[in-house]
C-alpha cells in the first residue's frame, strides 16, 4: 500500500518506475537504541547506587599475591615464633600435667596459644588487608554505600531470576569458573609432579627441614595460583568495564530528559523569566510616580529617571522599556503629569547601559543635566 493505495508485486513488475517508501526510515528515533555515552550525572548516580565496573577475580588475585608474597618474606619470623612457642609449651608439659587441668585452665592455655599465633601472622594479614582495600578502591574509587545491601523486590521475581540464569553474565561466570578450576587442577598436578621425589623423602628429613620444604611448596603453589588469578582478573576487569560502559549508554531522549532535570525545562525556565519580567515591570510602574522626567527615543524607547540630591549623588534610572512597554511608560507618565523629553542618544544609552535602580554613569552626567535643567525650568524650579 502506498499512501493508502493497495499494490502488489505484479504492480511493481508492470510499473518499474514505481517508488516504494520504507516509512520506518522516517520514524522518530528519540526513544530508540542506546547509542550515546553515559553522562557524568548518570555515572555518578550509578556509583551512589553501588553500580560500578568491578572484577572480584582481580581483587582475589591481588590479595593472594600479597598474602603469599608477605608469607615468603616473613616466613622466618613466623617460623621462629612458632618454634619458640612450641618449645615453651613442650618444656612445660610436665607442669601442665601436674596442674589441675580444668576448663578455665584449658581456655587460658588456648587463648595464650592463639594470641601468639595471631601475633606471628599479623604482618602477613595486615599486608594482605591493605592490598585488598587498595585494589578495591582502585576499581570502584572511594564512595562507600549500603544501597547494594538493600533488598530489591525485582530480584524475587521468578521470571527475572530465570532470565538471569541464562544471561550473558552467567555464561561468563561459568566460563571463568571452569577456567579457574582447570588451571588450578593443572598447577596442582604439575606442582605435585615436580616435588613428588622430595615429598617421598620427608620422613628422612629433620623436622624443620621438612616444614621448610612444605612451606616453600605451599608458597610456590600459592603464588602460581595467584598469578593465574591475576591474568583472569585483568581480563575480567576489562570485560566488566566494557560491559558497564555499554549498560550505561543512553538514548538521545534520555540525555534530553536528564538535561531538563538538571538544567531545567526550557519551557519552565522561560515561564520563570516571564514571571520575573512581569514582576520587574510592576515594580517599575509602581516607582514611576517618583520620576522627574521620562526620556524617549521618541517611539521605541522610554527611560524614567529621578534625581534626589539627598538620596544619591547622581540621577537614578527608575524605569525603562522598549516598544509596547515604552508606550505604556509614556501613557502612565502623561497621567501622572511627568514631563516627557525626546532625546534619542540619551534614551539609547540609558536603555542599553544602565540597569534599573542604578545611578547613571559619569559620561552621561552632562546630557542628563541638560534635560533636568530644561524640566526644572518648565516647573519654575532653580
Amino acid at each position: 500500500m502506498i499512501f493508502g493505495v493497495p499494490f502488489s508485486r505484479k504492480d511493481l513488475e508492470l510499473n518499474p518506475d514505481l517508488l516504494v517508501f520504507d516509512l520506518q526510515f522516517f520514524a522518530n528515533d528519540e526513544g530508540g537504541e542506546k547509542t550515546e555515552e553515559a553522562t557524568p550525572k548518570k555515572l555518578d548516580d550509578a556509583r551512589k547506587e553501588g553500580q560500578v565496573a568491578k572484577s572480584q577475580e582481580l581483587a582475589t588475585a591481588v590479595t593472594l599475591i600479597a598474602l603469599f608474597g608477605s608469607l615468603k618474606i616473613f616466613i622466618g619470623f613466623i617460623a621462629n615464633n612458632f618454634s619458640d612457642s612450641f618449645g615453651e609449651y613442650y618444656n612445660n608439659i610436665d607442669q601442665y600435667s601436674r596442674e589441675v587441668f580444668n576448663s578455665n585452665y584449658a581456655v587460658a592455655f588456648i587463648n595464650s596459644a592463639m594470641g601468639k599465633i595471631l601475633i606471628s601472622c599479623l604482618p602477613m594479614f595486615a599486608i594482605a588487608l591493605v592490598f585488598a582495600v587498595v585494589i578495591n578502591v582502585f576499581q570502584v574509587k572511594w564512595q562507600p554505600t549500603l544501597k547494594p545491601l538493600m533488598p530489591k523486590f525485582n530480584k524475587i521475581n521468578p521470571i527475572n531470576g530465570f532470565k538471569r540464569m541464562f544471561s550473558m553474565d552467567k555464561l561468563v561466570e561459568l566460563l571463568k569458573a571452569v577456567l579457574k578450576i582447570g588451571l588450578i587442577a593443572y598447577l596442582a598436578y604439575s606442582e605435585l609432579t615436580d616435588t613428588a621425589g622430595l615429598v617421598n623423602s620427608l620422613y628422612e628429613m629433620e623436622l624443620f627441614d621438612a616444614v621448610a620444604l612444605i612451606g616453600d611448596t605451599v608458597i610456590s603453589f600459592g603464588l602460581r595460583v595467584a598469578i593465574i588469578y591475576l591474568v583472569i582478573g585483568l581480563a575480567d576487569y576489562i570485560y566488566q568495564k566494557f560491559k558497564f560502559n555499554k549498560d550505561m549508554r543512553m538514548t538521545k531522549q534520555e540525555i534530553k530528559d536528564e538535561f531538563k532535570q538538571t538544567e531545567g525545562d526550557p519551557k519552565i525556565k522561560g515561564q520563570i523569566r516571564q514571571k520575573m519580567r512581569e514582576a520587574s515591570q510592576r515594580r517599575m510602574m509602581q516607582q514611576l510616580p517618583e520620576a522627574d522626567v521620562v526620556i524617549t527615543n521618541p517611539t521605541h524607547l522610554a527611560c524614567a529617571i529621578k534625581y534626589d540630591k539627598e538620596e544619591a549623588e547622581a540621577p537614578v534610572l527608575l524605569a525603562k522599556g522598549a516598544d509596547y512597554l515604552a508606550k505604556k511608560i509614556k501613557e502612565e507618565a502623561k497621567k501622572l503629569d511627568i514631563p516627557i523629553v525626546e532625546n534619542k542618544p540619551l534614551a539609547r544609552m540609558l536603555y542599553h547601559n544602565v540597569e534599573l535602580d542604578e545611578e547613571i554613569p559619569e559620561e552621561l552626567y552632562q546630557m542628563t543635566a541638560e534635560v533636568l535643567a530644561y524640566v526644572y525650568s518648565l516647573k519654575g524650579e532653580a
Side-chain angles (χ1 to χ4, degrees), residues 86-131:
F86 178 78
E88 178 183 347
Y89 294 130
Y90 184 79
N91 292 331
N92 295 325
I93 193 169
D94 292 337
Q95 178 183 352
Y96 299 148
S97 62
R98 289 193 301 267
E99 296 286 345
V100 178
F101 201 79
N102 54 28
S103 59
N104 292 333
Y105 193 89
V107 170
F109 176 83
I110 293 173
N111 288 338
S112 175
M114 292 299 297
K116 291 182 179 181
I117 292 173
L118 288 175
I119 291 174
S120 300
C121 297
L122 185 61
M124 180 178 64
F125 291 148
I127 292 175
L129 177 62
V130 170
F131 273 82

Side-chain angles (χ1 to χ4, degrees), residues 21-33 252 256:
F21 294 95
D22 185 0
L23 297 181
Q24 291 182 353
F25 179 78
F26 300 96
N28 189 353
D29 188 44
E30 289 186 349
E33 296 183 0
K252 294 179 180 179
K256 291 179 181 178

Side-chain angles (χ1 to χ4, degrees), residues 203-341:
Y203 69 95
E204 299 176 354
M205 296 181 181
E206 296 290 336
L207 176 61
F208 287 105
D209 294 336
V211 172
L213 175 60
I214 295 174
D216 290 339
T217 303
V218 171
I219 292 173
S220 175
F221 177 72
L223 287 175
R224 293 172 68 181
V225 170
I227 291 173
I228 292 296
Y229 260 85
L230 181 62
V231 174
I232 296 174
L234 288 172
D236 183 56
Y237 180 69
I238 294 173
Y239 167 76
Q240 294 295 339
K241 288 285 288 185
F242 169 77
K243 180 180 178 299
F244 176 77
N245 291 333
K246 184 178 179 181
D247 292 342
M248 287 292 105
R249 286 179 182 174
M250 307 170 66
T251 63
K252 294 179 180 179
Q253 185 61 40
E254 287 175 338
I255 292 179
K256 291 179 181 178
D257 294 341
E258 182 185 287
F259 177 79
K260 290 179 180 179
Q261 292 175 0
T262 55
E263 302 296 331
D265 191 332
K267 294 182 180 179
I268 296 177
K269 292 176 70 175
Q271 294 174 357
I272 293 174
R273 285 195 295 267
Q274 179 64 25
K275 295 294 184 181
M276 293 177 64
R277 283 194 297 268
E278 292 175 356
S280 177
Q281 291 174 10
R282 287 195 297 270
R283 188 172 65 254
M284 284 193 316
M285 302 310 292
Q286 291 173 356
Q287 293 178 341
L288 189 60
E290 302 176 13
D292 292 322
V293 62
V294 173
I295 303 171
T296 66
N297 195 22
T299 57
H300 299 297
L301 301 176
C303 299
I305 60 174
K306 169 190 175 182
Y307 180 47
D308 189 334
K309 298 178 182 179
E310 298 180 357
E311 293 183 0
E313 297 180 356
V316 176
L317 183 67
L318 294 183
K320 66 176 181 178
D323 299 326
Y324 171 77
L325 186 56
K327 180 181 178 181
K328 190 174 181 180
I329 291 174
K330 288 187 290 183
E331 290 176 352
E332 191 68 19
K334 290 178 182 178
K335 294 179 183 179
L336 297 171
D337 198 23
I338 298 174
I340 300 175
V341 178

Side-chain angles (χ1 to χ4, degrees), residues 35-91:
T35 57
E36 307 301 315
E37 294 296 328
T39 60
K41 180 181 182 302
K42 182 169 184 179
L43 294 176
D44 186 60
D45 291 343
R47 181 178 298 280
K48 292 177 181 178
E49 294 292 332
Q51 300 177 15
V52 290
K54 178 183 177 182
S55 172
Q56 189 59 46
E57 276 69 26
L58 183 59
T60 302
V62 173
T63 304
L64 286 175
I65 290 175
L67 186 64
F68 286 105
S70 58
L71 178 59
K72 191 175 183 66
I73 294 172
F74 292 101
I75 188 64
F77 169 76
I78 295 173
N80 289 334
N81 281 358
F82 277 24
S83 176
D84 293 342
S85 299
F86 178 78
E88 178 183 347
Y89 294 130
Y90 184 79
N91 292 331

